[in-house]
Amino acid sequence: MKNLDEILETTPQAFADLGIDHYSPTQLNCSLALWAYRYGVLTSAERSKLKYNFKMYLGTTIGDICQLNFCDELFAYDTGEYTQNKKKTSQQEGYDMLGMAIEKYDPWDDKDKELYLVIKDYAADMYKNAYQGWKSLSMTAPVVAENTVKLKFDYIYCEGRTDGEDKLKFLEQKMKCPSLNRPKKDGTRTKKTMPLPIDEPQLSHARQTAFYHFATGKRPFILYANEKEYKIFDSSNCQSLTKEGMEEHLEHYKRMAKMRDRLIMKSKGSVSDLLRDLDPDWEHNFEWDIGEDAAEHAKQVYREAQQ
């Protein structure tokens, strides 16, 4: 028998009390402890102030420019509306925009500045390869950027935005930005190319793309690009994007959503109760690399919740 929430198709009060009205692939890909802190403790405005780096900035910037190059409809985050891209940006204009974006980048810290100074000169090659990848797919107008797609799970929707899609297919773009080699004897560091996946896309990317497939019913493509080349995965060259592979990915997301559902319902809307029984891995290589102040704040709220 359906409960009252199911009959009325409303979200349980515990979700509303915590300010959690949807999931996303990003949420379902991270650990429970990090998810609870980012989405149960922090507001959207506070999350936007977490640590960033040049790799993240460069990947987002190149993605935005490729949308200007190839998409007919663009999403404006400030208004929440779609606008017509009547005069698509040329590739040369894209290079110019990329150059201006790189010049105005403000590194987070000295480590990020070192990375920025070494790899910024490879950004144009990364953009060139991403551009060629988009072009090779020959998407048919109208191509929509950042289309909001969603699937209903048990209590709330899982939502996301596709990088670009037409009536039959969609593209998910992933940039593999260079890293830095170990310091030389003189202390300087050089660029290290991050190779593209060989046989299968990265698992978290395949899961995200599978979600978009089931939300849109369209054929998925994952585009990877670095400063040397690009590569596209689809159902013809990897198992991860076959029907069976994507069904497995969706089931994984459903399990991850159920785990979060149970935590939220058990908490009855209390942030402290949401955090109480979780065990953050503070020594994880990168998960808590969210900025020194934010990481210390996370430790503090977990200590208080678990006293």
Side-chain angles (χ1 to χ4, degrees):
M1 178 179 292
K2 291 185 176 180
N3 60 36
L4 183 60
D5 286 319
E6 291 172 325
I7 293 172
L8 298 177
E9 294 186 341
T10 58
T11 302
Q13 187 61 41
F15 286 78
D17 290 343
L18 291 169
I20 297 174
D21 59 5
H22 72 281
Y23 294 133
S24 68
T26 299
Q27 293 187 45
L28 300 181
N29 278 336
C30 68
S31 72
L32 284 173
L34 180 61
W35 164 80
Y37 175 69
R38 291 180 66 115
Y39 300 95
V41 176
L42 302 182
T43 64
S44 176
E46 289 169 332
R47 288 194 296 274
S48 69
K49 297 178 182 178
L50 294 176
K51 182 179 178 180
Y52 58 84
N53 60 52
F54 186 54
K55 286 187 179 184
M56 297 164 58
Y57 178 82
L58 189 55
T60 299
T61 300
I62 291 175
D64 291 345
I65 295 173
C66 285
Q67 289 175 339
L68 291 171
N69 293 143
F70 293 97
C71 295
D72 302 287
E73 297 180 24
L74 305 171
F75 182 76
Y77 282 92
D78 54 343
T79 64
E81 298 179 351
Y82 289 90
T83 59
Q84 296 298 313
N85 187 22
K86 296 181 179 179
K87 185 179 182 300
K88 293 188 178 69
T89 301
S90 69
Q91 188 175 15
Q92 184 55 55
E93 290 171 329
Y95 282 121
D96 295 339
M97 293 175 66
L98 179 61
M100 289 186 288
I102 290 173
E103 287 303 313
K104 72 176 185 180
Y105 178 72
D106 183 21
W108 177 271
D109 54 21
D110 289 342
K111 183 178 178 180
D112 190 40
K113 183 176 181 179
E114 182 182 27
L115 177 73
Y116 165 74
L117 291 174
V118 173
I119 73 173
K120 66 185 181 73
D121 292 336
Y122 299 92
D125 289 332
M126 294 179 62
Y127 167 58
K128 177 189 70 176
N129 290 327
Y131 181 96
Q132 291 302 319
W134 276 78
K135 185 177 180 180
S136 72
L137 285 176
S138 300
M139 301 181 85
T140 304
V143 180
V144 181
E146 302 298 322
N147 184 36
T148 301
V149 299
K150 57 186 180 180
L151 287 175
K152 182 68 182 291
F153 286 171
D154 287 352
Y155 292 111
I156 56 178
Y157 283 92
C158 185
E159 300 181 7
R161 295 185 185 277
T162 56
D163 287 335
E165 64 176 86
D166 63 15
K167 290 184 178 180
L168 298 177
K169 58 182 176 288
F170 70 88
L171 174 153
E172 180 64 18
Q173 178 179 325
K174 301 296 183 184
M175 303 304 297
K176 288 292 185 178
C177 300
S179 291
L180 297 179
N181 285 306
R182 292 183 178 182
K184 298 179 180 180
K185 291 182 179 180
D186 62 2
T188 60
R189 305 177 72 180
T190 56
K191 181 265 296 183
K192 177 182 179 182
T193 296
M194 300 304 293
L196 306 184
I198 299 174
D199 298 318
E200 295 286 339
Q202 188 173 314
L203 182 57
S204 60
H205 299 161
R207 286 170 173 166
Q208 177 185 10
T209 303
F211 163 74
Y212 294 150
H213 162 71
F214 287 107
T216 63
K218 298 177 181 180
R219 185 178 177 185
F221 294 84
I222 302 179
L223 163 65
Y224 285 98
N226 61 17
E227 76 277 19
K228 292 187 175 182
E229 59 185 335
Y230 75 86
K231 184 171 184 176
I232 295 176
F233 286 99
D234 64 7
S235 59
S236 71
N237 63 4
C238 70
Q239 195 279 332
S240 297
L241 298 182
T242 62
K243 179 176 181 294
E244 295 76 14
M246 290 192 292
E247 287 175 345
E248 183 178 331
H249 299 327
L250 183 62
E251 288 304 311
H252 170 81
Y253 272 171
K254 289 180 177 179
R255 291 194 299 272
M256 296 301 101
K258 287 180 183 294
M259 292 171 67
R260 287 154 176 75
D261 289 344
R262 288 194 290 269
L263 284 171
I264 292 170
M265 296 300 284
K266 182 180 178 181
S267 77
K268 297 181 181 180
S270 164
V271 173
S272 294
D273 288 344
L274 182 70
L275 305 180
R276 180 162 293 127
D277 297 324
L278 297 176
D279 184 22
D281 180 6
W282 303 117
E283 302 304 317
H284 192 280
N285 287 340
F286 60 83
E287 189 165 73
W288 292 98
D289 186 20
I290 56 178
E292 291 183 7
D293 291 343
E296 184 54 42
H297 178 250
K299 292 176 181 179
Q300 178 184 338
V301 295
Y302 265 102
R303 281 195 300 268
E304 293 173 353
Q306 295 173 349
Q307 284 179 347

